[in-house]
């Protein structure tokens, strides 16, 4: 059966001391919980070692926010999948809309990143989602279909089972404007139907699809109650231990 997952995307926030405090506080609070979904914490690269060291002793996973599409070599400023693998990274976010928008990442670039991660035993958290204009034009299903097909559908059945998908409508990210529970369920069911038509129903049923975009302690319960919503990718609300724990308790 597919897993329930809550992943925190810290983005480019917090200094070292704040990151150290937050990851320790989360580790402590997570230990007090009985049943928890899989929890993934994705800090900036600089704090990955700290996070992964604490994760080894605790009940959460560490994840990166990005990976290079190149292998090791003369690529100043880049971090390779092999480097992440050598630091026991469990997960890595790819295709986040901020990377697509500010760093011009294409579906093809993301496809390569997915491959590099899987080759190094790191699970990609693959983000997809439409911008507001696309939803208003009623082409949001086509946009998401293209993203999923062009970046993931070259994978084998075994490989796709190691991918987590995050549907993040861009108009909901950091805006305080969440997709309604119906809008989330509708798109998640659609993504699962795409997976089913390519890989079969059994495979599709075993892939976790997370919702992201202004998900918080107040709306998480309703969103996660949907059949095809297996958890969340949380930005702003993952920066406060109390809020993030409340979201984790929302299943
Ligand atoms: P948000 O970000 O929760 O701050 O909207 C979600 C994300 O970008 O992953």
């Amino acid at each position: 059966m597919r897993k329930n997952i809550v992943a925190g995307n810290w983005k480019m926030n917090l200094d070292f001391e704040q990151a150290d405090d937050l990851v320790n506080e989360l580790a402590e609070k997570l230990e007090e919980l009985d049943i928890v979904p899989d929890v993934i914490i994705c800090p900036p690269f600089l704090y990955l070692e700290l996070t992964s060291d604490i994760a080894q002793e605790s009940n959460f996973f560490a994840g990166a926010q990005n990976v290079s599409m190149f292998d090791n070599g003369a690529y100043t400023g880049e971090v390779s999948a092999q480097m992440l693998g050598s630091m026991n990274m469990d997960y890595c976010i790819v295709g986040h809309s901020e990377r697509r928008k500010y760093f011009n990442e294409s579906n093809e670039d993301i496809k390569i990143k997915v491959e590099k991660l899987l080759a190094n035993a790191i699970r990609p958290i693959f983000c997809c989602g439409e911008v507001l204009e696309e939803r208003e034009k009623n082409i949001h299903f086509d946009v998401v279909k293209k993203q999923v097909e062009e970046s993931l559908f070259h994978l084998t059945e075994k490989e796709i089972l190691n991918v987590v998908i995050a549907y993040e409508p861009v108009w909901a990210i950091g805006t305080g404007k969440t997709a309604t529970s119906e809008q989330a369920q509708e798109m998640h069911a659609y993504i699962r139907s795409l997976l089913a038509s390519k890989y079969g129903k059994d495979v599709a049923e075993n892939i976790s699809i997370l919702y992201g975009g202004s998900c918080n302690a107040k709306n998480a319960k309703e969103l996660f109650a949907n059949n095809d919503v297996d958890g969340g990718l949380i930005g702003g609300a993952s920066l406060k231990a109390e809020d993030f724990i409340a979201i984790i308790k929302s299943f």
Side-chain angles (χ1 to χ4, degrees):
M1 245 344 251
R2 61 189 189 250
K3 291 174 181 169
N4 287 330
I5 296 174
V6 176
N9 174 10
W10 289 5
K11 308 193 181 181
M12 197 170 70
N13 290 297
L14 309 182
D15 64 20
F16 180 75
E17 208 179 312
Q18 291 167 326
D20 192 17
D21 285 350
L22 180 55
V23 78
N24 278 295
E25 195 181 344
L26 286 170
E28 258 172 49
K29 287 193 152 71
L30 282 170
E31 243 155 62
E32 290 161 14
L33 302 183
D34 285 343
I35 305 169
V36 286
D38 279 5
V39 175
I40 308 165
I41 299 176
C42 305
F45 281 128
L46 279 173
Y47 315 142
L48 272 176
E49 188 174 359
L50 161 83
T51 306
S52 128
D53 283 352
I54 298 174
Q56 311 279 324
E57 311 285 310
S58 184
N59 51 351
F60 67 89
F61 299 95
Q65 295 176 17
N66 184 31
V67 66
S68 178
M69 57 189 277
F70 301 110
D71 291 327
N72 304 317
Y75 301 100
T76 303
E78 290 286 272
V79 174
S80 73
Q82 198 196 349
M83 290 173 184
L84 293 176
S86 72
M87 291 193 56
N88 302 315
M89 220 41 57
D90 302 298
Y91 289 89
C92 179
I93 299 169
V94 277
H96 191 282
S97 61
E98 287 149 16
R99 304 266 348 150
R100 292 176 190 264
K101 181 176 170 192
Y102 302 125
F103 303 95
N104 298 319
E105 286 189 11
S106 67
N107 290 342
E108 176 62 26
D109 297 340
I110 295 157
K111 172 185 176 183
I112 296 169
K113 291 183 176 202
V114 166
E115 276 167 14
K116 303 275 177 211
L117 290 171
L118 290 171
N120 285 279
I122 301 165
R123 295 178 173 201
I125 303 175
F126 168 80
C127 303
C128 55
E130 80 285 357
V131 299
L132 185 60
E133 200 189 346
E134 292 162 340
R135 180 162 280 265
E136 284 170 353
K137 281 193 193 146
N138 208 25
I139 55 167
H140 46 294
F141 291 112
D142 298 339
V143 170
V144 169
K145 181 172 192 254
K146 195 167 154 60
Q147 291 171 335
V148 171
E149 284 183 351
E150 291 187 0
S151 299
L152 296 183
F153 275 14
H154 65 294
L155 299 177
T156 64
E157 188 177 309
K158 201 171 153 219
E159 287 170 331
I160 193 94
L161 282 166
N162 281 315
V163 175
V164 173
I165 297 178
Y167 167 58
E168 301 202 304
V170 182
W171 45 272
I173 297 179
T175 57
K177 202 171 162 184
T178 323
T180 64
S181 178
E182 293 74 28
Q183 285 171 325
Q185 168 57 25
E186 190 185 28
M187 183 60 87
H188 283 227
Y190 176 69
I191 294 170
R192 206 177 300 286
S193 76
L194 291 176
L195 294 166
S197 55
K198 169 80 182 167
Y199 295 100
K201 202 165 180 301
D202 276 1
V203 171
E205 282 300 320
N206 277 293
I207 295 175
S208 300
I209 308 177
L210 315 182
Y211 169 80
S214 298
C215 182
N216 57 39
K218 286 199 183 106
N219 58 31
K221 213 178 182 76
E222 194 187 336
L223 286 161
F224 297 174
N226 288 299
N227 266 348
D228 290 293
V229 179
D230 305 310
L233 178 55
I234 319 298
S238 71
L239 295 170
K240 278 203 189 133
E242 209 177 300
D243 292 351
F244 193 54
I245 294 289
I247 295 171
I248 291 165
K249 285 158 86 175
S250 298
F251 285 99

